[in-house]
Amino acid sequence: MKLDLDIYQWLVKINVIQELPINNLFAHVDQALEEQFLNGIIVSQILKQFDQKIDVDVKKGNSNGIRLYNWNNVCKSLQQINITLDDDIKISIVKGDTQMLMQFLKELKQHYEMAFYVEEQVSTTTRFDSQQNEPQEIGIDEIDPEKPLNQTQSLLEFIIVSLCKHFTLKPKQAVALLNQNYKQLSNILIKGNKSFKSVTNWLMELSKYINHIIKFVTYKIDILLSLLKAGLVSQSSDVCYWTLYIIEGILINLPQKELLEDVYAWLIREHGGLIVLILSQQRHHQYLEQVCKIYSVVSQYNVVDFFDVQLRKILKSGKEYIDFINGIIQTIQIRDQMQELNLFEVFASHAVKLFEPQHTSMERMTALKYFEHYWIFYPQQFVIKQMEQYLLNSRKATRESSFAMRIFTYQSLFRILDNLALQKDKYAALLYKKLVFSLIENFDQKEIREFLVANFLMLIRKYSTIPIDILIIPMVKQLQIEQNEIQINIVDFQLLKSVCTHPKIDINMAILMLDMLSKLYLSSIMFYQLAFQQIQLLLTRFIKSNPVQEFTFNLVKIAISEYYGNYQEHIKSNPKSILNRNPDENIKRQQFRSQIISLIKFIINLRSFELNELIKPVIAHFYLEIQQNLKTESKALFMLLGHFGDPQEILQEESKKQKQIIQQPQNPIYQSQIVKSQLQGSKVSQAQQNLPYQKSNKGIISQKDDPFRELRDDANKPTLTMLGNLSLNFDEQSLLKQFELL
């Protein structure tokens, strides 16, 4: 059997075994000694070292029966020193599992050292005499573990008595927890004592006696902080919380300001409290406010040294340093002092260096994050020069090949815009316009466009005063320009739906959207239903307007002419060609005719008398055309006529008018109404673009104040982006009025 060196040296030291042959890793155990390990004799001798009164009844021999007998007696004796051996481990050792035996011996060694290895520096403790205000010495053996905590007379006595109470220890065992720079106690604070219940209860008990503890910290404040600091990085969030609570309570109630200098010295020294607080901040971010409060209290007289010197010693990389600042910038309680000392500008200079091209994407994201926080939380300190620098860096970031960098940058810009709009800041309009330019520039980038549109949708829903024409007009025009290259998606429809119900939409914008949606309705099988929903919203809202009625009438004429052409092709096709045609093609043709009928039916049901009087003769005319030219009847058109009254009477009246027209020179009005049946989709689009309607002056932005004049005048895809040809000194009054920020 091989015995670990540390176990071997310990057993030799306490005179349980003699010296054995060793190498660099193990001590070699012969067969006779191995039998003594496995049958429990060696362990019984170790227990004798714990307490001479412990006498374990063990037998010599190596059978499984003798081993089990001996280990059962060993387990009973272990309970006398508060050690429990699991039954599964016991059975494994009885069966000869040497690895399990080694693990048990290591645990036994830890208990032994905890109980008996007492360092000289903590063998006595300091007693505080309230009368003389002088330290006095008291021996460990004099400490009463049953003594009430509020009657303890020194810090160490207080700690030892509390440990004895909550961990069921003797004073010497409690002192052993404080040896080797509190190694054993630190292990318990971090990993728990089988569970964290006793540790949490101990800290909660300490928190009740903060005022009592403060009487002793004049002499031992660094000892107390070092003793507790392991709790800051505990695996238990409760342990971390109560540790922070105790430290914060002590620091706030310190009787002398000079003691903060001692605390600061403890914080910044090598292996001191600062590195532990930083790790605690990373592990238990839910307690960031408490950690920042400790930073603020301890560093209040050394602000520049703490943030610009000491932190840089620990957080040596630029990313770690700016990440730390990003974490505390909103929560740190000494913000005013930091502003007066221009520390935020110091951080900004580090962030600018971090954004340089030689750094990774993650490092540059960290730099952008700092500027975002700086602009949001300290807008008064965020000067124009820094704003220009941030926007310039943002423009570079949105043009990088890294998709993550581009999305991160846009997300940051939208968060800033959201905050500026909430605060009614004048730069909200500027940033809004630059983001619209970004949308136009990235219109052919599907993922980026979806992300931008989704964020604009959030803004429109949140802020009713936002000038939507600046966004919607170029967006709709872009959809029209590139409708053959760019497929509209669900997010676009969500945005358009919000615009349809937005209080700032005017007639001109409504007609522009109706034009685009109508083309989509007549050309897309996938999105026609979504387009129809938006058309319904707009027509219901604006149908009483003369320009909208005129547009709608022209839309009905084009739609019904398309219906006539599609129906004519269906009737005149011979059965063989229909059978040979792709079944999906037949379904699409039927669906197209159904869409047109649904659209016209909805328009009729809006009950606009003037519009219906114009639509009625058009439907009747095309019904008669189908009847006369195609020798059949259209039940769908006949059904539509039923919405105006008796269809037969309407058809008779229209038939009389046609006979009168035949007897007279042709009326140019009807020439314009009868459209050839073979109109293609491109002709429909061209006809819709040329639809005449009278523009209303309501809501129109003058060219001088219109930031999107170039987009409306130029039929080509715009190439303007954030910053573009604009500067921070542009005339922003018109946008501010639209935002209602003035």
Side-chain angles (χ1 to χ4, degrees):
M1 186 178 79
K2 295 179 180 179
L3 190 65
D4 290 351
L5 277 182
D6 57 339
I7 301 296
Y8 163 73
Q9 291 168 355
W10 170 58
L11 294 176
V12 170
K13 183 178 179 180
I14 63 176
N15 298 318
V16 171
I17 62 174
Q18 302 298 318
E19 292 187 1
L20 300 170
I22 62 173
N23 58 20
N24 293 331
L25 299 174
F26 304 103
H28 295 279
V29 178
D30 59 24
Q31 186 175 357
L33 186 58
E34 181 180 352
E35 289 180 0
Q36 294 182 46
F37 273 102
L38 291 173
N39 65 13
I41 293 176
I42 296 295
V43 175
S44 68
Q45 295 174 7
I46 294 172
L47 292 178
K48 199 77 172 175
Q49 300 298 320
F50 273 86
D51 191 336
Q52 292 297 321
K53 296 179 181 179
I54 298 177
D55 188 11
V56 186
D57 181 16
V58 292
K59 299 179 180 180
K60 293 184 179 180
N62 198 34
S63 66
N64 287 340
I66 292 176
R67 287 185 186 178
L68 183 60
Y69 174 82
N70 289 352
W71 277 101
N72 284 336
N73 291 334
V74 166
C75 289
K76 293 177 182 177
S77 299
L78 285 171
Q79 293 176 359
Q80 297 180 35
I81 56 174
N82 298 318
I83 299 176
T84 303
L85 180 62
D86 188 79
D87 288 340
D88 292 336
I89 297 176
K90 180 182 70 175
I91 297 300
S92 297
I93 295 173
V94 168
K95 291 180 178 179
D97 190 336
T98 56
Q99 291 184 351
M100 198 65 73
L101 176 64
M102 289 301 107
Q103 183 64 34
F104 170 69
L105 289 174
K106 288 180 181 179
E107 293 180 7
L108 198 60
K109 175 177 177 288
Q110 291 178 356
H111 281 279
Y112 181 87
E113 290 177 344
M114 186 184 299
F116 293 100
Y117 183 61
V118 181
E119 289 186 349
E120 183 179 354
Q121 64 265 34
V122 293
S123 63
T124 60
T125 182
T126 301
R127 174 182 292 164
F128 182 78
D129 190 322
S130 59
Q131 300 276 334
Q132 301 176 4
N133 198 28
E134 294 178 355
Q136 297 179 352
E137 299 298 323
I138 179 174
I140 294 298
D141 295 332
E142 299 177 41
I143 293 178
D144 180 10
E146 302 297 328
K147 191 175 186 178
L149 289 176
N150 59 358
Q151 295 180 16
T152 55
Q153 295 180 303
S154 74
L155 176 61
L156 202 54
E157 183 184 14
F158 176 87
I159 295 299
I160 290 172
V161 171
S162 65
L163 288 172
C164 291
K165 177 180 177 181
H166 287 278
F167 296 98
T168 319
L169 301 173
K170 296 177 181 179
K172 285 187 177 181
Q173 292 174 316
V175 170
L177 293 179
L178 310 180
N179 293 333
Q180 295 179 307
N181 199 21
Y182 320 108
K183 180 178 179 181
Q184 296 294 335
L185 180 60
S186 298
N187 188 61
I188 291 173
L189 286 170
I190 294 172
K191 299 181 179 179
N193 185 26
K194 294 186 178 178
S195 71
F196 286 99
K197 184 176 180 180
S198 58
V199 181
T200 305
N201 290 337
W202 176 61
L203 291 171
M204 290 173 67
E205 182 85 2
L206 295 187
S207 69
K208 297 176 183 178
Y209 294 93
I210 287 178
N211 291 330
H212 184 66
I213 295 172
I214 288 175
K215 292 191 299 184
F216 311 126
V217 298
T218 304
Y219 303 97
K220 301 289 184 182
I221 190 167
D222 60 329
I223 292 178
L224 176 64
L225 295 173
S226 297
L227 182 146
L228 293 172
K229 73 177 183 180
L232 297 172
V233 290
S234 173
Q235 295 175 359
S236 167
S237 59
D238 290 338
V239 171
C240 178
Y241 171 80
W242 286 108
T243 305
L244 288 168
Y245 182 88
I246 294 168
I247 293 175
E248 180 186 333
I250 291 171
L251 294 179
I252 292 174
N253 294 285
L254 283 177
Q256 301 172 25
K257 185 173 71 175
E258 290 76 12
L259 289 174
L260 280 176
E261 291 297 329
D262 296 335
V263 177
Y264 186 72
W266 166 82
L267 187 75
I268 65 175
R269 73 188 183 192
E270 189 176 4
H271 307 300
L274 181 55
I275 181 63
V276 181
L277 281 169
I278 292 173
L279 292 172
S280 178
Q281 175 184 334
Q282 295 171 350
R283 175 172 285 187
H284 301 288
H285 53 83
Q286 66 269 37
Y287 302 134
L288 176 62
E289 186 175 353
Q290 290 91 323
V291 174
C292 285
K293 197 164 187 179
I294 294 174
Y295 290 147
S296 300
V297 173
V298 177
S299 67
Q300 59 184 300
Y301 303 111
N302 303 275
V303 178
V304 175
D305 179 68
F306 177 75
F307 284 100
D308 196 33
V309 178
Q310 302 303 331
L311 282 175
R312 294 287 291 164
K313 289 180 181 179
I314 296 175
L315 306 171
K316 295 182 179 179
S317 77
K319 182 182 184 303
E320 289 179 341
Y321 181 59
I322 298 301
D323 264 334
F324 176 86
I325 299 302
N326 285 336
I328 67 167
I329 192 170
Q330 182 183 4
T331 314
I332 194 74
Q333 287 84 3
I334 52 173
R335 293 186 293 270
D336 294 340
Q337 288 178 258
M338 295 171 70
Q339 288 182 22
E340 291 174 5
L341 296 168
N342 295 324
L343 277 175
F344 292 115
E345 294 184 12
V346 173
F347 303 149
S349 65
H350 288 295
V352 169
K353 293 178 182 177
L354 192 61
F355 193 79
E356 291 175 355
Q358 67 268 26
H359 292 99
T360 65
S361 295
M362 293 301 297
E363 289 173 330
R364 283 179 290 139
M365 286 182 193
T366 300
L368 288 174
K369 188 73 172 177
Y370 172 74
F371 282 110
E372 174 197 332
H373 286 159
Y374 193 6
W375 197 348
I376 289 176
F377 300 126
Y378 308 101
Q380 303 302 324
Q381 302 292 322
F382 200 67
V383 297
I384 290 181
K385 182 179 179 181
Q386 293 168 336
M387 192 183 303
E388 289 178 331
Q389 181 67 52
Y390 171 69
L391 292 175
L392 179 62
N393 290 342
S394 297
R395 183 184 66 177
K396 293 177 182 177
T398 57
R399 291 181 170 181
E400 290 191 10
S401 58
S402 170
F403 179 77
M405 171 64 85
R406 297 169 71 187
I407 289 293
F408 177 86
T409 306
Y410 284 127
Q411 187 178 41
S412 178
L413 288 166
F414 273 107
R415 277 197 293 260
I416 294 172
L417 175 56
D418 183 27
N419 184 75
L420 294 179
L422 189 64
Q423 302 299 326
K424 297 188 175 181
D425 190 286
K426 62 180 180 178
Y427 291 110
L430 166 68
L431 194 54
Y432 174 59
K433 191 166 71 169
K434 293 184 183 301
L435 283 167
V436 172
F437 281 132
S438 293
L439 173 64
I440 302 306
E441 182 186 42
N442 291 280
F443 221 76
D444 56 344
Q445 304 292 321
K446 184 179 178 182
E447 292 82 4
I448 298 293
R449 178 163 67 98
E450 286 183 1
F451 180 81
L452 293 173
V453 170
N455 279 275
F456 278 122
L457 176 61
M458 179 273 295
L459 288 174
I460 288 175
R461 289 174 175 172
K462 189 172 183 179
Y463 302 104
S464 59
T465 60
I466 196 167
I468 58 172
D469 55 333
I470 292 177
L471 169 65
I472 295 302
I473 292 175
M475 179 180 172
V476 170
K477 186 167 185 178
Q478 201 69 22
L479 285 169
Q480 291 174 330
I481 292 172
E482 304 194 23
Q483 60 185 340
N484 294 325
E485 301 174 18
I486 298 178
Q487 186 176 7
I488 195 168
N489 54 41
I490 301 298
V491 179
D492 296 322
F493 278 110
Q494 291 176 341
L495 178 63
L496 293 173
K497 183 177 180 180
S498 292
V499 171
C500 290
T501 57
H502 198 277
K504 290 184 95 55
I505 186 174
D506 59 18
I507 293 174
N508 290 315
M509 200 185 310
I511 293 176
L512 183 66
M513 291 178 63
L514 281 169
D515 182 54
M516 186 269 294
L517 291 167
S518 299
K519 295 173 186 176
L520 190 65
Y521 180 78
L522 295 173
S523 61
S524 173
I525 295 293
M526 182 180 296
F527 292 116
Y528 82 92
Q529 288 183 327
L530 290 173
F532 191 35
Q533 292 175 8
Q534 321 302 329
I535 292 171
Q536 288 175 315
L537 288 172
L538 290 170
L539 288 180
T540 303
R541 184 173 175 181
F542 293 102
I543 195 60
K544 294 181 180 180
S545 165
N546 289 334
V548 173
Q549 287 186 7
E550 188 174 350
F551 173 87
T552 307
F553 176 58
N554 282 280
L555 173 61
V556 169
K557 289 192 294 183
I558 292 173
I560 204 168
S561 66
E562 282 291 292
Y563 177 88
Y564 178 84
N566 186 288
Y567 196 74
Q568 182 185 45
E569 186 176 352
H570 171 70
I571 294 298
K572 290 189 175 182
S573 299
N574 59 60
K576 273 190 178 182
S577 64
I578 294 176
L579 289 174
N580 293 333
R581 191 184 297 161
N582 189 330
D584 291 341
E585 185 64 25
N586 292 326
I587 294 173
K588 288 180 181 179
R589 291 173 181 273
Q590 293 174 7
Q591 178 64 40
F592 179 70
R593 295 195 298 273
S594 176
Q595 288 175 220
I596 292 174
I597 296 301
S598 298
L599 175 63
I600 298 174
K601 180 181 177 181
F602 170 76
I603 293 171
I604 294 171
N605 287 332
L606 290 173
R607 304 298 180 188
S608 173
F609 178 77
E610 296 86 354
L611 181 60
N612 284 351
E613 286 299 307
L614 294 173
I615 294 173
K616 180 172 66 174
V618 175
I619 297 175
H621 171 79
F622 276 98
Y623 179 88
L624 294 173
E625 285 289 316
I626 291 173
Q627 190 178 55
Q628 295 170 9
N629 297 337
L630 305 180
K631 308 303 180 184
T632 185
E633 294 184 353
S634 171
K635 294 180 180 179
L637 295 183
F638 191 82
M639 178 272 296
L640 290 178
L641 290 173
H643 289 274
F644 301 106
D646 186 352
Q648 294 296 345
E649 292 182 2
I650 296 171
L651 290 171
Q652 289 175 6
E653 183 181 349
E654 182 62 25
S655 181
K656 289 179 182 178
K657 288 182 181 178
Q658 286 192 10
K659 289 178 181 178
Q660 293 175 1
I661 292 170
I662 292 172
Q663 295 172 1
Q664 298 174 1
Q666 259 192 337
N667 192 329
I669 294 177
Y670 284 101
Q671 285 181 343
S672 65
Q673 287 181 346
I674 303 173
V675 184
K676 290 186 177 181
S677 61
Q678 303 301 324
L679 270 174
Q680 300 299 320
S682 61
K683 294 183 179 180
V684 176
S685 300
Q686 184 178 0
Q688 288 185 2
Q689 289 174 356
N690 296 327
L691 291 179
Y693 57 85
Q694 187 176 0
K695 291 187 177 181
S696 169
N697 291 326
K698 182 181 178 181
I700 295 180
I701 306 172
S702 66
Q703 286 195 345
K704 178 181 178 182
D705 295 334
D706 182 8
F708 285 94
R709 181 182 60 185
E710 304 96 324
L711 302 185
R712 278 188 275 270
D713 292 343
D714 188 3
N716 298 319
K717 179 182 176 183
T719 57
L720 297 175
T721 60
M722 286 185 303
L723 287 183
N725 298 324
L726 303 173
S727 69
L728 293 172
N729 299 319
F730 81 110
D731 181 13
E732 59 208 17
Q733 297 303 312
S734 61
L735 285 177
L736 296 178
K737 288 177 182 177
Q738 293 179 72
F739 262 107
E740 298 181 6
L741 300 179
L742 291 181

